[in-house]
Every structure is written in C-alpha cells, then in structure tokens.
Amino acid sequence: MIDREISGIKIPDSQLAKEATQFVRETESKLLFEHSTRVYFWGALAGKRRGLTFDAELFYTAALFHDLGLTAGFRESRLRFEVDGANAARNFLQSRGIAEADIERVWLAIALHTTPGIPPHLHPIAALTAEGVMMDLAGFGYDEFTDAQRDAVETAYPHPPRFAEDLLEALYDGVKHRPETTQGTGLADVVADKNPHFHRRNLCSLMRASRWTPVTD
C-alpha cells in the first residue's frame, strides 16, 4: 500500500504516475523503491518550502527512476548507471507521448544526480532530485525539514536498520562490473570501499603522464 500524501505532499494520482510506480516496483528491490519514494517526498517538501514551481508527475518519475540503472537488467552495461536510468526514463516517457522538452528535464535530473554543484543551477526537477537523494542518503539539509515532516516520511517509508550498508551494497552491485564509470563521482568511494584493488583516477597524474608532457632525460 502506497501512502499517497505526506505532510501536504501528494504522489500524483495520474495514469503516468501509476504506471511509473508499477514499472519501478516490478524492477527494483523494496530497498531501492522506498529510497526513491522518500527522495520524491524530501525533494517535493524542499521545493514547496522554497516556493519552486515544477511538474509533480515529471519530478516523481525522475525520483523513481534515478537508481534504475543499478538493477539486474543493466549488469552488462558499460555506461554510467545514472545514464542507464536516465535512458530508461526517456524510453518510458517517450512511449507515453510526453513532450521532448519535459523528457530532457527528467533525463538531466537522473543523469546528473551524482554530480555535485550542477543540479542546483538547472530546472527544479534536477535540483530537487539531487537534493532529495542526498537528504535520504546522508541527511544533507536534515535541519531544514521540520520534526513533523521527517517523522511523517519515516513513518510511511522508514529507513531500515541497515540502510547505509544495504544501500552501499546495492550501489556496488550495480557498478562493480563497470568501475571505470564511477571515476569522479561518489560511486568511486563505494567501489574503493568494497574493492581494495580499485584505484581512483588522478587528473594530475594523467596530465603529467600525457603525451603532451615533454620527455626529459
């Protein structure tokens, strides 16, 4: 049973939202689905607090699909998992006749949700997706929500006791076959934590070892 309204924020009751919910619930684990649902509520609450205008259907879709690229269907992919999720959302929305400009907003929100410093300067759908993710993962902005808001979301979709470790494992499972795609993102931290043989790429070393650097005796 889905709680459709929490602290004045509603999950859209449209056909598109219902189909998105069904699609993602059937594709993701309960852990990822409920994390994604909380991302929607944290983001929507933050948007309401700041008076931002955004399409709730599109934001809900972005929130739900943001981790889809971690699921079993992408175990052979060599793309960043964020791009896989963004592409899946694009296909989903295109098949339902959504305007390309709206699809592009959702695509960017998902593709950039692990890239700090950029989403806040984009459309609110991107800004709120990234903000909701970091609130749910690490409590960024925790004190900007009221006790009542946090309690309401947690009552409806509680973080499980081992949330941090279980989600870190889910993140690693989704990218361990493509560790090179995590370079420069927080997912590199996850791979390094789980795989002692992983080496982060270092831009300074790349530049100093490039073919543009003169060879000296």
Side-chain angles (χ1 to χ4, degrees), residues 98 109 112 142 216:
I98 303 302
L112 292 173
Y142 186 92
T216 58

Side-chain angles (χ1 to χ4, degrees), residues 105-117:
R105 292 190 180 101
V106 173
W107 193 95
L108 285 171
I110 298 169
L112 292 173
H113 81 268
T114 63
T115 305

Side-chain angles (χ1 to χ4, degrees), residues 169-210:
E169 195 63 39
L171 290 168
Y172 182 61
D173 285 346
V175 300
K176 63 185 178 183
H177 65 287
R178 45 181 166 179
E180 70 284 352
T181 67
T182 70
Q183 298 285 4
T185 77
L187 275 294
D189 298 335
V190 176
V191 178
D193 183 77
K194 302 289 186 181
N195 179 359
H197 303 294
F198 176 72
H199 296 287
R200 289 182 178 87
R201 186 171 59 208
N202 184 296
L203 179 60
C204 300
S205 298
L206 289 173
M207 291 176 65
R208 288 167 180 152
S210 80

Side-chain angles (χ1 to χ4, degrees), residues 35 38-40 42-43 127-137:
H35 158 62
R38 289 193 301 272
V39 166
Y40 169 75
W42 300 134
L128 297 176
T129 299
E131 187 169 345
V133 167
M134 290 310 297
M135 169 58 180
D136 202 63
L137 292 183

Side-chain angles (χ1 to χ4, degrees), residues 5 27 48 62 76 84 99-100 120 133 139 176 211:
E5 182 172 354
T27 307
K48 181 180 179 181
E76 302 298 322
D84 281 329
E100 285 298 323
V133 167
K176 63 185 178 183
R211 297 181 67 174

